[in-house]
Amino acid sequence: MNRVALSVSRGIARVADAALGPYQTAVVRIGFAATWLLFLLREFPHRQEMYGPDGPWSWDLARQLIADNHAFTILMWSGSQVWFESVYALAVLSSALFLVGWRTRAMSVLFMVGVLSLQNRSVFIGDGGDNVIHLMAIYLVFTRCGQVWSLDERRERRARAVRARGERPRPDRAGPVLWGVLGLALALATGGGRLGAGWLAVYWGLWGVQGLWWCVVRRAPHGEPRILLDVVANLVHNAALLVIMAEACLIYSTAGWYKIQGSRWQDGTAVYYPLHLDSFSPWPALSDLLSSQGTLVLLVTYGTVAAQVAFPFTLFNRRVKNVLLACMMTEHAVIAVVLGLPFFSLAMIAADAVFLPTSFLCRLGGWASRARGRLAAGRVARALPRPRPHRPATEEPTEAAQAGSSA
Protein backbone atom coordinates (compact mmCIF):
# COMPACT_ATOMS: atom_id res chain seq x y z
CA MET A 1 0.00 0.00 0.00
CA ASN A 2 2.86 2.36 0.82
CA ARG A 3 4.42 1.72 -2.58
CA VAL A 4 1.16 2.55 -4.34
CA ALA A 5 0.74 5.75 -2.33
CA LEU A 6 4.34 6.72 -3.04
CA SER A 7 3.90 6.15 -6.77
CA VAL A 8 0.69 8.17 -6.82
CA SER A 9 2.29 11.03 -4.90
CA ARG A 10 5.26 11.07 -7.27
CA GLY A 11 2.94 11.14 -10.26
CA ILE A 12 0.92 14.02 -8.82
CA ALA A 13 4.09 15.93 -8.01
CA ARG A 14 5.43 15.47 -11.52
CA VAL A 15 2.19 16.61 -13.15
CA ALA A 16 1.90 19.66 -10.87
CA ASP A 17 5.54 20.73 -10.76
CA ALA A 18 6.20 21.14 -14.49
CA ALA A 19 4.45 21.62 -17.81
CA LEU A 20 5.23 18.37 -19.61
CA GLY A 21 6.21 18.16 -23.26
CA PRO A 22 7.47 21.72 -23.78
CA TYR A 23 9.10 20.88 -27.11
CA GLN A 24 6.11 18.86 -28.29
CA THR A 25 3.62 21.63 -27.56
CA ALA A 26 5.94 24.18 -29.16
CA VAL A 27 6.21 22.20 -32.39
CA VAL A 28 2.43 21.69 -32.40
CA ARG A 29 1.98 25.44 -32.00
CA ILE A 30 4.40 26.18 -34.82
CA GLY A 31 2.90 23.51 -37.06
CA PHE A 32 -0.72 24.59 -36.79
CA ALA A 33 0.06 28.32 -36.88
CA ALA A 34 2.16 27.83 -40.02
CA THR A 35 -0.50 25.66 -41.66
CA TRP A 36 -3.28 28.16 -41.04
CA LEU A 37 -1.10 31.11 -42.04
CA LEU A 38 -0.06 29.48 -45.32
CA PHE A 39 -3.68 28.61 -46.03
CA LEU A 40 -4.83 32.20 -45.49
CA LEU A 41 -2.06 33.56 -47.68
CA ARG A 42 -2.70 31.01 -50.42
CA GLU A 43 -6.43 31.77 -50.43
CA PHE A 44 -6.01 35.53 -50.14
CA PRO A 45 -7.05 36.16 -53.77
CA HIS A 46 -10.14 33.96 -53.22
CA ARG A 47 -11.08 35.18 -49.75
CA GLN A 48 -14.21 36.99 -51.00
CA GLU A 49 -15.69 33.85 -52.57
CA MET A 50 -14.86 31.74 -49.51
CA TYR A 51 -15.71 33.99 -46.57
CA GLY A 52 -16.77 37.39 -47.91
CA PRO A 53 -20.20 38.92 -47.26
CA ASP A 54 -21.12 38.72 -50.97
CA GLY A 55 -19.77 35.21 -51.57
CA PRO A 56 -21.81 32.23 -52.83
CA TRP A 57 -22.65 31.35 -49.23
CA SER A 58 -23.98 34.81 -48.46
CA TRP A 59 -23.93 36.62 -45.16
CA ASP A 60 -27.71 36.23 -44.74
CA LEU A 61 -27.57 32.46 -45.31
CA ALA A 62 -24.70 32.14 -42.85
CA ARG A 63 -26.61 34.16 -40.26
CA GLN A 64 -29.63 31.87 -40.57
CA LEU A 65 -27.49 28.76 -40.12
CA ILE A 66 -25.58 30.19 -37.15
CA ALA A 67 -28.86 31.17 -35.52
CA ASP A 68 -29.64 27.44 -35.43
CA ASN A 69 -26.27 25.89 -34.54
CA HIS A 70 -25.04 28.82 -32.34
CA ALA A 71 -21.49 28.57 -33.71
CA PHE A 72 -19.04 31.31 -32.75
CA THR A 73 -17.87 33.72 -35.45
CA ILE A 74 -17.21 37.42 -35.20
CA LEU A 75 -17.77 37.78 -38.96
CA MET A 76 -21.50 37.75 -38.20
CA TRP A 77 -21.19 40.92 -36.15
CA SER A 78 -21.32 43.02 -39.31
CA GLY A 79 -21.90 42.45 -43.00
CA SER A 80 -19.64 45.26 -44.16
CA GLN A 81 -16.62 44.73 -46.37
CA VAL A 82 -14.38 46.70 -44.00
CA TRP A 83 -15.23 44.38 -41.11
CA PHE A 84 -14.52 41.30 -43.18
CA GLU A 85 -11.12 42.60 -44.28
CA SER A 86 -10.29 43.53 -40.69
CA VAL A 87 -11.14 40.05 -39.40
CA TYR A 88 -9.14 38.39 -42.17
CA ALA A 89 -6.14 40.62 -41.42
CA LEU A 90 -6.49 39.80 -37.71
CA ALA A 91 -6.42 36.09 -38.54
CA VAL A 92 -3.26 36.49 -40.62
CA LEU A 93 -1.49 38.67 -38.05
CA SER A 94 -2.40 36.51 -35.06
CA SER A 95 -1.22 33.39 -36.91
CA ALA A 96 2.14 34.97 -37.68
CA LEU A 97 2.66 36.21 -34.12
CA PHE A 98 1.51 32.90 -32.66
CA LEU A 99 3.97 31.15 -34.94
CA VAL A 100 6.95 33.09 -33.60
CA GLY A 101 5.65 32.98 -30.03
CA TRP A 102 5.12 36.68 -29.32
CA ARG A 103 2.78 37.11 -26.31
CA THR A 104 1.79 33.51 -26.74
CA ARG A 105 -1.09 33.47 -24.26
CA ALA A 106 -2.87 36.39 -25.90
CA MET A 107 -2.05 35.25 -29.44
CA SER A 108 -3.39 31.76 -28.76
CA VAL A 109 -6.79 33.29 -27.99
CA LEU A 110 -6.71 35.54 -31.06
CA PHE A 111 -5.58 32.59 -33.16
CA MET A 112 -8.59 30.62 -31.96
CA VAL A 113 -10.89 33.56 -32.69
CA GLY A 114 -9.56 33.82 -36.25
CA VAL A 115 -9.88 30.09 -36.93
CA LEU A 116 -13.40 29.78 -35.52
CA SER A 117 -14.63 32.98 -37.15
CA LEU A 118 -13.59 32.02 -40.67
CA GLN A 119 -14.38 28.31 -40.53
CA ASN A 120 -17.78 28.75 -38.87
CA ARG A 121 -18.65 31.46 -41.40
CA SER A 122 -18.56 28.93 -44.26
CA VAL A 123 -19.01 25.47 -42.81
CA PHE A 124 -19.32 23.83 -46.23
CA ILE A 125 -15.74 24.75 -47.18
CA GLY A 126 -12.88 22.64 -45.93
CA ASP A 127 -11.80 19.09 -45.30
CA GLY A 128 -10.61 16.92 -42.44
CA GLY A 129 -7.53 19.05 -41.97
CA ASP A 130 -9.70 22.10 -41.25
CA ASN A 131 -11.54 20.13 -38.57
CA VAL A 132 -8.22 19.24 -36.95
CA ILE A 133 -7.11 22.89 -36.98
CA HIS A 134 -10.49 23.86 -35.53
CA LEU A 135 -10.07 21.52 -32.56
CA MET A 136 -6.38 22.16 -31.95
CA ALA A 137 -6.88 25.93 -31.98
CA ILE A 138 -9.15 25.50 -28.95
CA TYR A 139 -6.84 23.07 -27.14
CA LEU A 140 -3.73 25.21 -27.62
CA VAL A 141 -5.32 28.06 -25.64
CA PHE A 142 -4.94 25.97 -22.48
CA THR A 143 -1.31 24.95 -23.06
CA ARG A 144 1.91 26.71 -22.13
CA CYS A 145 3.16 26.31 -25.70
CA GLY A 146 5.61 29.22 -25.56
CA GLN A 147 8.09 27.69 -23.11
CA VAL A 148 10.65 27.03 -25.86
CA TRP A 149 11.21 28.19 -29.44
CA SER A 150 9.39 31.47 -28.93
CA LEU A 151 10.07 35.17 -28.55
CA ASP A 152 8.53 34.97 -25.08
CA GLU A 153 11.16 32.43 -24.04
CA ARG A 154 13.93 34.62 -25.47
CA ARG A 155 12.62 37.67 -23.62
CA GLU A 156 12.43 35.73 -20.37
CA ARG A 157 15.94 34.35 -20.86
CA ARG A 158 17.34 37.85 -21.38
CA ALA A 159 15.50 39.10 -18.29
CA ARG A 160 17.04 36.29 -16.21
CA ALA A 161 20.49 37.21 -17.52
CA VAL A 162 19.95 40.84 -16.52
CA ARG A 163 18.84 39.83 -13.02
CA ALA A 164 21.82 37.49 -12.71
CA ARG A 165 24.10 40.50 -13.25
CA GLY A 166 22.38 42.26 -10.35
CA GLU A 167 20.55 44.69 -12.62
CA ARG A 168 16.86 45.37 -12.96
CA PRO A 169 15.23 44.40 -16.27
CA ARG A 170 13.24 46.94 -18.18
CA PRO A 171 9.54 46.99 -17.29
CA ASP A 172 7.17 45.22 -19.64
CA ARG A 173 5.02 47.79 -21.42
CA ALA A 174 3.77 45.86 -24.44
CA GLY A 175 2.00 43.24 -22.31
CA PRO A 176 -0.19 45.61 -20.27
CA VAL A 177 -0.99 47.68 -23.37
CA LEU A 178 -2.09 44.57 -25.26
CA TRP A 179 -4.09 43.40 -22.25
CA GLY A 180 -5.84 46.77 -22.02
CA VAL A 181 -6.66 46.89 -25.74
CA LEU A 182 -8.12 43.38 -25.66
CA GLY A 183 -10.10 44.25 -22.54
CA LEU A 184 -11.55 47.32 -24.27
CA ALA A 185 -12.51 45.28 -27.33
CA LEU A 186 -14.11 42.65 -25.10
CA ALA A 187 -16.03 45.33 -23.19
CA LEU A 188 -17.38 46.80 -26.45
CA ALA A 189 -18.44 43.34 -27.65
CA THR A 190 -20.12 42.67 -24.32
CA GLY A 191 -21.91 46.02 -24.31
CA GLY A 192 -23.15 45.42 -27.85
CA GLY A 193 -24.57 42.03 -26.93
CA ARG A 194 -22.37 40.23 -29.45
CA LEU A 195 -21.34 37.32 -27.21
CA GLY A 196 -23.43 34.63 -25.61
CA ALA A 197 -23.22 33.79 -21.94
CA GLY A 198 -20.84 30.88 -22.48
CA TRP A 199 -18.35 32.77 -24.59
CA LEU A 200 -18.57 35.76 -22.24
CA ALA A 201 -17.48 33.55 -19.36
CA VAL A 202 -14.63 32.05 -21.43
CA TYR A 203 -13.16 35.30 -22.73
CA TRP A 204 -13.60 37.33 -19.56
CA GLY A 205 -12.16 34.45 -17.58
CA LEU A 206 -9.08 34.24 -19.81
CA TRP A 207 -8.67 38.01 -19.71
CA GLY A 208 -8.97 38.12 -15.91
CA VAL A 209 -6.53 35.25 -15.40
CA GLN A 210 -3.96 36.95 -17.58
CA GLY A 211 -4.29 40.18 -15.59
CA LEU A 212 -4.00 38.27 -12.32
CA TRP A 213 -0.90 36.48 -13.60
CA TRP A 214 0.78 39.77 -14.55
CA CYS A 215 0.02 41.36 -11.16
CA VAL A 216 1.32 38.35 -9.21
CA VAL A 217 4.52 38.14 -11.28
CA ARG A 218 5.11 41.86 -10.79
CA ARG A 219 4.29 42.05 -7.06
CA ALA A 220 5.38 38.66 -5.74
CA PRO A 221 7.52 36.85 -8.34
CA HIS A 222 8.70 34.25 -5.79
CA GLY A 223 5.78 34.18 -3.38
CA GLU A 224 3.12 31.59 -2.69
CA PRO A 225 0.56 33.13 -5.09
CA ARG A 226 3.02 32.69 -7.96
CA ILE A 227 3.68 29.08 -6.95
CA LEU A 228 -0.06 28.40 -6.83
CA LEU A 229 -0.59 29.93 -10.28
CA ASP A 230 2.26 27.84 -11.68
CA VAL A 231 0.74 24.66 -10.27
CA VAL A 232 -2.69 25.44 -11.73
CA ALA A 233 -1.19 26.40 -15.10
CA ASN A 234 0.84 23.18 -15.18
CA LEU A 235 -2.21 21.07 -14.39
CA VAL A 236 -4.26 22.77 -17.11
CA HIS A 237 -1.40 22.46 -19.60
CA ASN A 238 -0.85 18.78 -18.92
CA ALA A 239 -4.57 18.06 -19.18
CA ALA A 240 -4.75 19.88 -22.53
CA LEU A 241 -1.67 18.00 -23.75
CA LEU A 242 -3.34 14.72 -22.85
CA VAL A 243 -6.45 15.78 -24.75
CA ILE A 244 -4.37 16.64 -27.83
CA MET A 245 -2.72 13.22 -27.74
CA ALA A 246 -6.05 11.47 -27.22
CA GLU A 247 -7.58 13.45 -30.09
CA ALA A 248 -4.81 12.37 -32.47
CA CYS A 249 -5.26 8.73 -31.44
CA LEU A 250 -9.03 9.02 -31.83
CA ILE A 251 -8.67 10.44 -35.35
CA TYR A 252 -6.51 7.57 -36.50
CA SER A 253 -8.41 4.79 -34.74
CA THR A 254 -11.84 5.88 -35.99
CA ALA A 255 -10.50 6.41 -39.52
CA GLY A 256 -8.92 2.95 -39.51
CA TRP A 257 -11.98 1.14 -38.16
CA TYR A 258 -14.30 2.89 -40.62
CA LYS A 259 -11.98 1.90 -43.47
CA ILE A 260 -12.13 -1.74 -42.43
CA GLN A 261 -15.89 -1.70 -43.02
CA GLY A 262 -15.49 -0.53 -46.63
CA SER A 263 -15.42 -3.14 -49.38
CA ARG A 264 -12.78 -1.26 -51.38
CA TRP A 265 -10.45 -1.24 -48.42
CA GLN A 266 -11.12 -4.91 -47.82
CA ASP A 267 -10.19 -5.95 -51.37
CA GLY A 268 -7.15 -3.64 -51.44
CA THR A 269 -8.24 -1.28 -54.24
CA ALA A 270 -9.33 1.84 -52.30
CA VAL A 271 -6.17 3.82 -53.04
CA TYR A 272 -6.61 3.24 -56.79
CA TYR A 273 -9.75 5.35 -57.23
CA PRO A 274 -8.68 8.74 -55.80
CA LEU A 275 -5.70 8.66 -58.17
CA HIS A 276 -8.12 8.89 -61.12
CA LEU A 277 -10.25 11.77 -59.80
CA ASP A 278 -9.53 15.10 -61.48
CA SER A 279 -9.92 16.95 -58.16
CA PHE A 280 -7.14 14.87 -56.61
CA SER A 281 -4.74 14.55 -59.55
CA PRO A 282 -2.50 17.62 -59.74
CA TRP A 283 0.13 15.45 -61.46
CA PRO A 284 -1.81 13.12 -63.81
CA ALA A 285 1.31 11.38 -65.07
CA LEU A 286 2.44 10.60 -61.53
CA SER A 287 -1.04 9.38 -60.57
CA ASP A 288 -1.17 7.08 -63.60
CA LEU A 289 2.26 5.71 -62.81
CA LEU A 290 1.34 4.88 -59.22
CA SER A 291 -2.07 3.43 -60.05
CA SER A 292 -0.53 1.13 -62.65
CA GLN A 293 1.46 -0.66 -59.92
CA GLY A 294 -1.10 -3.13 -58.59
CA THR A 295 1.12 -4.56 -55.88
CA LEU A 296 2.01 -1.08 -54.62
CA VAL A 297 -1.66 -0.07 -54.48
CA LEU A 298 -2.48 -3.22 -52.53
CA LEU A 299 0.33 -2.69 -50.02
CA VAL A 300 -0.50 0.99 -49.48
CA THR A 301 -4.20 0.23 -49.00
CA TYR A 302 -3.67 -2.48 -46.41
CA GLY A 303 -0.72 -0.65 -44.83
CA THR A 304 -2.78 2.50 -44.30
CA VAL A 305 -5.55 0.60 -42.50
CA ALA A 306 -3.09 -1.38 -40.38
CA ALA A 307 -1.10 1.70 -39.39
CA GLN A 308 -4.17 3.72 -38.40
CA VAL A 309 -5.73 0.93 -36.36
CA ALA A 310 -2.47 -0.04 -34.66
CA PHE A 311 -1.13 3.45 -33.92
CA PRO A 312 -2.84 4.01 -30.52
CA PHE A 313 -1.54 0.64 -29.30
CA THR A 314 2.06 1.37 -30.33
CA LEU A 315 2.31 4.18 -27.77
CA PHE A 316 3.26 1.56 -25.20
CA ASN A 317 6.44 0.72 -27.15
CA ARG A 318 8.63 3.72 -27.91
CA ARG A 319 10.63 2.18 -30.76
CA VAL A 320 7.63 0.77 -32.59
CA LYS A 321 5.80 4.07 -32.10
CA ASN A 322 8.65 6.10 -33.59
CA VAL A 323 8.91 3.83 -36.64
CA LEU A 324 5.17 3.92 -37.28
CA LEU A 325 5.09 7.67 -36.68
CA ALA A 326 7.78 8.22 -39.31
CA CYS A 327 5.82 6.05 -41.76
CA MET A 328 2.61 8.01 -41.16
CA MET A 329 4.32 11.37 -41.58
CA THR A 330 5.87 10.14 -44.81
CA GLU A 331 2.46 8.99 -46.00
CA HIS A 332 0.98 12.42 -45.31
CA ALA A 333 3.82 14.05 -47.23
CA VAL A 334 3.09 11.77 -50.19
CA ILE A 335 -0.62 12.63 -49.97
CA ALA A 336 0.26 16.33 -50.09
CA VAL A 337 2.15 15.87 -53.36
CA VAL A 338 0.23 13.11 -55.14
CA LEU A 339 -3.35 14.05 -54.18
CA GLY A 340 -2.80 17.81 -53.93
CA LEU A 341 -3.86 18.15 -50.28
CA PRO A 342 -0.99 20.13 -48.73
CA PHE A 343 -2.87 21.76 -45.87
CA PHE A 344 -4.62 18.56 -44.82
CA SER A 345 -1.24 16.84 -44.72
CA LEU A 346 0.42 19.70 -42.83
CA ALA A 347 -2.35 19.67 -40.24
CA MET A 348 -2.01 15.93 -39.70
CA ILE A 349 1.79 16.12 -39.51
CA ALA A 350 1.47 18.91 -36.93
CA ALA A 351 -0.89 16.71 -34.90
CA ASP A 352 1.51 13.76 -35.19
CA ALA A 353 4.35 15.94 -33.92
CA VAL A 354 2.99 15.73 -30.37
CA PHE A 355 4.36 12.17 -30.25
CA LEU A 356 7.87 13.01 -31.46
CA PRO A 357 10.64 12.11 -28.97
CA THR A 358 12.18 14.99 -27.04
CA SER A 359 15.73 13.99 -27.99
CA PHE A 360 14.91 14.29 -31.69
CA LEU A 361 13.25 17.68 -31.20
CA CYS A 362 16.26 18.95 -29.23
CA ARG A 363 18.59 17.87 -32.02
CA LEU A 364 16.27 19.48 -34.54
CA GLY A 365 16.35 22.72 -32.56
CA GLY A 366 20.15 22.55 -32.39
CA TRP A 367 20.41 22.10 -36.15
CA ALA A 368 18.07 25.04 -36.72
CA SER A 369 20.08 27.24 -34.31
CA ARG A 370 23.36 26.39 -36.01
CA ALA A 371 21.87 27.02 -39.45
CA ARG A 372 20.50 30.37 -38.27
CA GLY A 373 23.93 31.25 -36.82
CA ARG A 374 25.65 30.47 -40.11
CA LEU A 375 23.16 32.59 -42.02
CA ALA A 376 23.59 35.47 -39.59
CA ALA A 377 27.40 35.20 -39.81
CA GLY A 378 27.17 35.17 -43.60
CA ARG A 379 25.03 38.31 -43.64
CA VAL A 380 27.45 40.08 -41.29
CA ALA A 381 30.41 39.06 -43.43
CA ARG A 382 28.74 40.36 -46.57
CA ALA A 383 27.84 43.63 -44.85
CA LEU A 384 31.41 44.35 -43.73
CA PRO A 385 33.53 46.45 -46.12
CA ARG A 386 36.05 44.44 -48.04
CA PRO A 387 39.74 45.39 -47.50
CA ARG A 388 41.39 47.03 -50.46
CA PRO A 389 44.50 45.34 -51.92
CA HIS A 390 47.77 46.92 -50.76
CA ARG A 391 49.65 48.83 -53.45
CA PRO A 392 53.25 49.98 -52.85
CA ALA A 393 53.75 53.71 -53.14
CA THR A 394 55.60 54.88 -56.24
CA GLU A 395 58.99 56.29 -55.31
CA GLU A 396 59.95 59.71 -56.68
CA PRO A 397 63.28 59.70 -58.62
CA THR A 398 66.06 61.46 -56.80
CA GLU A 399 68.17 64.26 -58.39
CA ALA A 400 71.17 61.90 -58.65
CA ALA A 401 69.17 59.32 -60.44
CA GLN A 402 67.78 61.94 -62.79
CA ALA A 403 71.29 63.21 -63.51
CA GLY A 404 72.58 59.67 -64.10
CA SER A 405 69.76 58.87 -66.43
CA SER A 406 70.33 62.07 -68.40
CA ALA A 407 74.07 61.30 -68.70
Side-chain angles (χ1 to χ4, degrees):
M1 187 66 183
N2 292 333
R3 292 181 179 179
V4 175
L6 182 60
S7 300
V8 171
S9 63
R10 287 178 178 175
I12 295 175
R14 184 182 180 187
V15 172
D17 288 346
L20 303 177
Y23 292 95
Q24 285 78 4
T25 50
V27 76
V28 169
R29 181 201 84 227
I30 294 171
F32 280 103
T35 302
W36 184 242
L37 177 61
L38 292 175
F39 174 79
L40 294 178
L41 295 178
R42 203 278 300 269
E43 299 298 340
F44 184 80
H46 314 290
R47 65 191 186 281
Q48 298 292 342
E49 291 80 6
M50 297 178 67
Y51 307 112
D54 298 326
W57 184 250
S58 65
W59 189 82
D60 291 331
L61 291 175
R63 184 178 59 178
Q64 295 176 21
L65 179 61
I66 291 173
D68 293 333
N69 60 18
H70 304 287
F72 171 80
T73 170
I74 63 175
L75 279 177
M76 292 295 98
W77 292 2
S78 174
S80 68
Q81 183 64 29
V82 175
W83 179 248
F84 164 70
E85 297 291 353
S86 301
V87 174
Y88 200 93
L90 173 65
V92 173
L93 181 61
S94 62
S95 301
L97 295 178
F98 192 47
L99 171 66
V100 298
W102 184 82
R103 309 293 170 178
T104 312
R105 292 190 181 94
M107 289 304 114
S108 65
V109 178
L110 294 180
F111 177 75
M112 179 187 68
V113 170
V115 170
L116 298 185
S117 297
L118 292 175
Q119 290 189 355
N120 290 336
R121 163 64 176 84
S122 300
V123 294
F124 301 107
I125 297 177
D127 51 28
D130 295 299
N131 294 334
V132 176
I133 296 175
H134 191 107
L135 294 172
M136 295 300 176
I138 299 174
Y139 300 153
L140 285 172
V141 172
F142 302 99
T143 64
R144 307 182 74 173
C145 54
Q147 297 179 97
V148 297
W149 297 345
S150 67
L151 296 181
D152 290 346
E153 186 267 339
R154 187 181 69 171
R155 184 178 64 252
E156 183 63 26
R157 186 174 65 251
R158 291 180 175 179
R160 288 196 302 267
V162 171
R163 286 191 292 266
R165 294 195 300 265
E167 302 175 4
R168 186 176 182 180
R170 292 183 300 177
D172 180 20
R173 294 185 176 87
V177 171
L178 179 63
W179 182 77
V181 170
L182 294 178
L184 178 61
L186 190 56
L188 293 175
T190 303
R194 302 295 186 179
L195 297 173
W199 287 108
L200 277 176
V202 170
Y203 288 126
W204 278 115
L206 293 172
W207 184 81
V209 168
Q210 182 62 25
L212 176 63
W213 185 281
W214 185 84
C215 292
V216 170
V217 171
R218 183 177 177 85
R219 301 295 181 184
H222 304 291
E224 292 183 357
R226 171 62 188 274
I227 296 175
L228 176 60
L229 288 180
D230 272 327
V231 169
V232 174
N234 291 336
L235 291 174
V236 173
H237 166 92
N238 295 330
L241 180 61
L242 180 61
V243 171
I244 291 174
M245 298 172 68
E247 185 69 36
C249 292
L250 184 63
I251 291 172
Y252 283 122
S253 60
T254 53
W257 286 109
Y258 272 112
K259 285 181 174 67
I260 289 178
Q261 303 175 35
S263 59
R264 299 305 180 189
W265 291 98
Q266 293 176 7
D267 60 25
T269 61
V271 175
Y272 173 85
Y273 298 99
L275 296 174
H276 290 274
L277 295 176
D278 294 337
S279 301
F280 300 101
S281 299
W283 315 100
L286 180 60
S287 299
D288 293 339
L289 176 62
L290 295 176
S291 62
S292 63
Q293 307 296 323
T295 304
L296 179 62
V297 170
L298 181 68
L299 292 176
V300 172
T301 301
Y302 286 150
T304 299
V305 176
Q308 291 182 347
V309 172
F311 180 74
F313 302 100
T314 63
L315 299 180
F316 300 101
N317 189 301
R318 182 176 301 177
R319 293 182 179 179
V320 177
K321 181 263 295 183
N322 292 338
V323 172
L324 191 59
L325 187 62
C327 294
M328 297 178 71
M329 287 186 168
T330 303
E331 181 184 8
H332 287 306
V334 173
I335 290 174
V337 176
V338 177
L339 298 183
L341 297 172
F343 299 109
F344 166 79
S345 299
L346 286 176
M348 294 308 302
I349 291 174
D352 293 341
V354 74
F355 299 105
L356 289 174
T358 303
S359 58
F360 171 76
L361 293 176
C362 290
R363 287 196 299 270
L364 185 63
W367 296 336
S369 298
R370 287 192 292 271
R372 183 181 60 185
R374 294 191 188 99
L375 291 176
R379 287 196 297 267
V380 171
R382 288 192 297 269
L384 293 176
R386 297 182 178 180
R388 296 181 179 180
H390 177 70
R391 296 180 180 179
T394 304
E395 296 182 357
E396 294 293 337
T398 62
E399 293 182 357
Q402 293 178 356
S405 61
S406 59

